[in-house]
Amino acid sequence: MIVKTLTDLDNVAKAGLGRLRGDSPQIIFGLATCGIASGGKALRDYAERYLAKKGFKADILSVGCIGMCHAEPLVDVKLPGKPRVTYSEVDEEKLKRIIDGHLMGGEPVNELALAQLSTDLSVSEVGALNYSAAYEGVPRYEELPFFSKQLRIVLRNCGVVEPVRVDEYIARGGYRSAYKVLHEMAPEEVIETVKRSGLKGRGGAGFLTGLKWEFCRKAPGREKYMICNADEGDPGAYMDRAVLEGDPHSVIEGMIISAYAIGATQGFIYVRTEYPLAIEHVQHALRQAREMGLLGENILGTNFSYDIGIREGAGVFVCGEETALIRSIEGKRGEPRQRPPFPATKGLWDKPTNINNVETLASVPMIIQKGGDWYASLGTKDSKGTKVFSLVGKINKPGLIEVPMGIRMRDIIYYIGGGIPDRRKFKAVQTGGPSGGCIPLQHLDVAIDYETLKSLGSIMGSGGMVVMDEDTCMVDVARYFLGFTSEESCGQCTPCRVGTKRLLEVLNRITSGKGVPADAELLKDMAEMVRDSSLCALGGTAPNPILTTLRYFMNEYEEHIHDKKCDASVCAALFKAPCQNTCPAGTNVPGYIQLIKDGKYSDAYELNREDNPFPSICGRVCEHPCESRCRRSQFDSPISIRELKRFCSDTARLGRKAKKPPTTRLKKTGKTVAIVGGGPAGLSAAFFLARLGHSPTIYESSGKLGGMLRWGIPKYRLPHEIIDMEVNDILELGVDVKYNVSVGNDVKLKELADKFDAVFIAVGAQGDRRLGLESDDKPGIVPGLNLLREINAGKVAKLGKRLIVIGGGNVAVDVARSTLRLGCEKVSICYRREEQEMPAYLGEIEAAKAEGIEFHFLVAPEKIIVEGDKAVGVLFRKNTMGDYDNWGRRQPVPTDETLEIRADTIVPAIGQDVDGAFADGFADKLIGKKALVCADGDSLATPVERIFAGGDAVTGPASAIEAIAQGKGAARSIGIALTGEDRFLELQKLNKIVYSMTPPTDNEKVMERERPKHAPAKKRACSFEEVVQCMDEDGSRREAARCFRCDLSAEEEGER
Amino acid sequence: MMPAKTMGVKIKMTIDGKEYECEPNQTVLDVAGANGIPIPTLCFNPLFASHRSGSCRMCLVEVVAGGRPGLQPSCTLPVSSGLSVSTVSKQVYRARRLAVEFLVSEHTQKCRDCPASGGCTLAKFCRDYDINGVPVCSECPNQRESCLLKRGVLCMGPITYANCNAYCTRKGYRCEGCHSTLVNEDVLRFGLAAYRDAGFRAEDILEGAEVFAHDKVSILEAVMKREGML
Amino acid sequence: MDAKDRKMLDDILSSHRDTRDPAMLILQKVQTSFGYTGQDHLTYISEKSCIPLSKLYGIVTFYPSFRLSPPGKSIIRICEGTSCHVRGGARIVKELERQLGIGPGQTTKDRKFSLESVRCLGCCGISPVVMMDDKTYGRVKATKLAEILATHGGE
């Protein structure tokens, strides 16, 4: 039918509203491209078959994308008079349950339901879908963090209406704005309204839409064009696709309004050819609109005529630039041209032309409906309204969101997007695609709008937000984008055609380890000139990724150029295998795994020992950062690297054929080094110094060596015989030890500095931090590390039956599990944040739970309860989770509630500090920020000549492997300081351990990760016997065979 | 230059601080040309003056006032009342120089075999914008000399920069061409290929280099080794 | 080119008789009808429509979605978008190259598969993404590729 009057529109709306409100049961599938790709279409077919089999009559609907890409495929069920309920990540099994239980049974399947749409998400007042009769036990859409901060103007109908049904669009208020404009408003009024709204072009540059229309309106000429730019080329942005696929009529209505305002009679939608479904839906919508008199001659019964053709892009990025787009529609090569003249005066076929982006146009009907002032009331001072962002990359909940301008980046990433997956650290967010820049951690709090993003060196662009974590190399990101722009450069102007290529060459040079010191400066100079002198926006913005990464991640460039290192393990030429690159000590992981695979366990142990004197110890307690970067984890699951290390160590040292490792060392130099502290850092330094030919002497304040390894780790994790064994190996290299000598008390640092050629300070961080509450030193309170030390020394303290530990780190868990073994009946860990925020190792937390430790989360100690002169309990303040901090952890915020726990012993384990007593006489120079020892990050040299420092004393409490790596690094730089040459390479040539260099061919299939056996929880909870067992030989060799040998493919890539 | 067809109201614009009167339909390049202000161009062809792509970026000028500030190609920049541009600012010089550098970097620099030799605009720009990497031998054709190598003279041109002050093999006085042996390996390779083609022995080349650019002989040697000439 | 092909081209040409600047539209239709825009097609179109061959050639070489030679039976498009890149898309490319023995822009010897890389398929929420003919696969893992290839290779 032809629609001419409001009554006509109402009549169409009636049918649409009936369908939307659902007079019969409906099952609704999200079938935008992303939904189809996730298997939505197959589910729909399944539902059809299943319902036919059951003989149940229900409407099967297909809608567009609601934005929750992370939860695809999505299926909704809607019963008459009831809200729509969304089910996420549906498979056939779940679908069957949903159909049986909800569609046919009438009650939602609560455990599968994601949310219910009881309140309309759209701001439109017409045709809103609100239901008072909500279901119990199913969260509402607006309660989901993903939606609660959203304000949907552009996406008002996406995922709600069926895109192929114009009546549903009209039922939601569609084409009423067009009607209002054509019947009641003069073109100037329309322009005035849009100008007042402050709407800016959403395609990227952010020019005021109203102003653009006005220019075009005022341009002389009778023939004018109104074009919709849907050539969404930015990788990482897909809002235009979602709108065209899910709500094509909103764009068409926006075009009609714009065409009327500027006086255009003909228009085009220019869609990229990569969006076949969008093209199909737009074509369908155009046909419908023409049939109803909404396009063509005499639209809506007026004398205004306008029609829209569709043009497909052909895979060229620069065609998103308006002058290039015009040339493409003209059937030419899509090369941009110099402006001025602007398209508003000389555009398509040299006629005045207005070009707007999809998102801009989809906003227009709502601005007309609710007024320019309403729109201007949203957003920030200079950027009004809402913006659609596609939140993708390393994020838990990727998807499409529409939020008011001015929202904080932090809210988008952590609140809406749910943070970074796999406990990784956030690194940067890339906005604006290849034309934009990377925004780092320190700017996450800015209110996002056009101006702030620009001031940060990035741009809004079309709204792509690609989140990057610590596994992303920023130099590689810049290289990726320059690779993109240099290929997409149309080649017309010199700076863009040649400049992007030259920039890419420099970046390639840097990422392949051939960078020279001048490169950073060269990049900056060249990038700035390319930006300033290019013809169009492609060249003008192409250097942005370089300029922002240079600005915020200079350290990564320097690391690549000077140290030839890529910490993120991305740049293939700069590392052998990610595991080895990630290990602080640089252990040759692929090498020893190969040796295990080949049955050469002693060789494997010795290869380990080239970089780390404690393979047996690390095989038990290492936090194994290597495993988190294992390439195998992208395939099935990471290699059990730590357990393999344990296996080869145990076999080589404890097995039947056990033998002592060789004590090869370089010729004596006669140089002496004093090492303050016999912990992992000090011992590791002693090991390498001795092997380099120097004569180290360790000053240890206790009667035994090992430091935190011995005193801070319970025996059920690390038996003392293992420590003794590997410590003795070090001593046999010729290391002198002064036991029970405390530097600072028994001997002064000055004396050591005078007597020795160099001093290495590795005193660790062993002072327990106090709670900072009144009476926190009363009897009944035992500091965590102190307690562990006593337990490890065999001095069993009287603890009573009930014990609470305050804290969430490894010490807290170690204390809890140890005291349980000592006979405490009930042990609780009280932590002020949520479980996933606990810094303790995951495996330890799980083991503690299995052993029966009780956990209280979100409780902070407020008061110590004292009776007599003894602490008998703690009053905790309950917390709730507040805002996110810079590490993506939510800050605890106190509530009104409290929790009182009574206990015989209270153990605070909330962190450790460095005991600065050693520094007597040098304190002002050696002790720096946060009471840590000052030392240069690379050389570990302190401000005092010939004194070096490392380990926890410098870094603060860290893992064993980091301390070992620091000891190794210190030995190297002390060696250089003493002899003037780096003899480390010589050292590495001493023990030439050979292993196969043939890449494996048969392990690219799913292979189960081998896991070590654990002693049964009940049995182990009352003994200090080791909990984790060594893997057996067969299992270990099977596990070793899973290794991809990334080191070999890296060599190949490096050569290429 | 665009002929001033429409004689209408004259407007005034400023180039390098000096005011000029011009027609409304002119571009900045036209005005500069009419008043003898040099602006280099490559892609602009006076024979096809109506086609201006603005793609070579040699004619960039900096808009100082009266328009969107920043670099703009003067060939397409329409004049407007109050427009003020600079043709000599540091920014302009850097941009033009970079454009030449970029063009040269894409160039084979086989100037000896090039029909444009002698009248090559790019080579001229290289001198104007002080861009290294152009061998002395590109100068010879400018002086209407035939190639010395082809005449059997061991000329050091192919491996030395223009303006090097080395003694010219032919004339005996300091060539105003170059600074030293080319450090740019790509050009060096072309030069060496030219020697090889002309049949010179490696020892002779090295001996020549010893005389004219002895501090860079080691570099030359390394490249020759890599090229298999030693 | 046989009579059938010429008939198809004639039909395409006549359907755009009244379109302004139809070169691009004609070529796009040829591309979808034949799967590529070959030399023969271009020459024939140029003769019949009086659009200079150089212009047609300019268009098909500028826009990457035109193909100058016939593609394989199945076309595999690998997304090289940013989201796919940071989520390990390069490994997928490498694995596909290994399994098919061809690089992007090439066709296997048996003409079963053509491999193409595209800038962004707009499915960043479920990256990395691979498109086989008109079917899109999201959250692709290297382990799944063989399976996907098998369903499209028809073996």
Side-chain angles (χ1 to χ4, degrees), chain A residues 817-991:
Chain A
R817 293 181 69 191
S818 296
T819 52
L820 196 72
R821 283 163 169 74
L822 288 173
C824 285
E825 281 170 15
K826 189 169 182 194
V827 178
S828 310
I829 291 178
C830 303
Y831 181 51
R832 65 196 183 107
R833 299 171 189 262
E834 288 176 305
E835 180 173 355
Q836 64 261 34
E837 313 286 0
M838 278 182 77
Y841 302 155
L842 215 57
E844 296 297 311
I845 299 170
E846 277 162 17
K849 278 187 183 163
E851 288 166 11
I853 309 276
E854 184 191 50
F855 284 83
H856 291 279
F857 295 107
L858 290 170
V859 287
E862 191 167 75
K863 203 176 140 220
I864 312 250
I865 303 163
V866 183
E867 276 173 14
D869 196 36
K870 190 178 178 302
V872 295
V874 180
L875 182 75
F876 289 95
R877 171 71 50 190
K878 284 197 177 175
N879 284 332
T880 177
M881 296 317 288
D883 205 357
Y884 292 91
D885 67 9
N886 269 349
W887 283 266
R889 305 207 307 181
R890 294 181 75 175
Q891 292 292 346
V893 180
T895 65
D896 296 339
E897 281 177 76
T898 56
L899 172 75
E900 190 185 301
I901 305 180
R902 298 245 160 184
D904 301 309
T905 306
I906 297 152
V907 185
I910 54 166
Q912 294 106 259
D913 291 316
V914 179
D915 181 354
F918 75 92
D920 187 23
F922 293 95
D924 52 333
K925 280 186 181 161
L926 290 180
I927 309 289
K929 266 190 287 183
K930 292 186 186 167
L932 297 174
V933 180
C934 321
D936 177 79
D938 288 330
S939 70
L940 299 175
T942 67
V944 184
E945 209 186 338
R946 292 187 298 109
I947 296 185
F948 296 76
D952 284 1
V954 172
T955 58
S959 67
I961 190 67
E962 279 172 83
I964 293 166
Q966 291 242 308
K968 181 182 170 187
R972 184 174 195 162
S973 46
I974 290 173
I976 295 172
L978 292 181
T979 60
E981 54 179 335
D982 187 359
R983 306 207 303 163
F984 238 73
L985 293 171
E986 241 174 284
L987 187 61
Q988 278 164 351
K989 281 183 200 144
L990 282 182
N991 293 340

Side-chain angles (χ1 to χ4, degrees), chain A residues 580 588-596 604 607 995-996 1045 1047:
Chain A
Q580 182 172 7
N588 185 348
V589 180
Y592 77 75
I593 288 183
Q594 179 72 45
L595 287 166
I596 293 173
L607 190 62
Y995 53 91
S996 162
R1045 290 297 306 275
D1047 56 328

Side-chain angles (χ1 to χ4, degrees), chain A residues 343-357:
Chain A
T345 51
K346 210 171 168 189
L348 186 61
W349 290 304
D350 287 345
K351 300 287 184 290
T353 303
N354 178 48
I355 301 180
N356 287 129
N357 160 271

Side-chain angles (χ1 to χ4, degrees), chain A residues 337-340 342 492-495 497-502 505 525-526 528-530 532-536, chain B residues 52-57 60 68 70-73 76-78 91 94-96 98-100 102-103 105-106:
Chain A
R337 65 159 170 78
Q338 186 70 42
R339 299 179 303 183
F342 287 90
Q492 258 193 120
C493 76
T494 318
R497 176 187 68 241
V498 190
T500 53
K501 228 196 282 179
R502 291 292 95 84
E505 279 165 8
D525 267 7
M526 210 149 58
E528 279 172 358
M529 286 321 293
V530 170
D532 295 341
S533 62
S534 287
L535 188 152
C536 81
Chain B
R52 298 170 181 222
S53 67
S55 60
C56 75
R57 315 313 268 180
L60 288 178
R68 211 172 64 188
L71 297 171
Q72 292 273 344
T76 59
L77 183 63
Q91 193 68 348
R94 279 181 66 195
R96 289 181 187 168
L98 194 76
V100 182
F102 281 153
L103 288 169
S105 73
E106 294 278 274

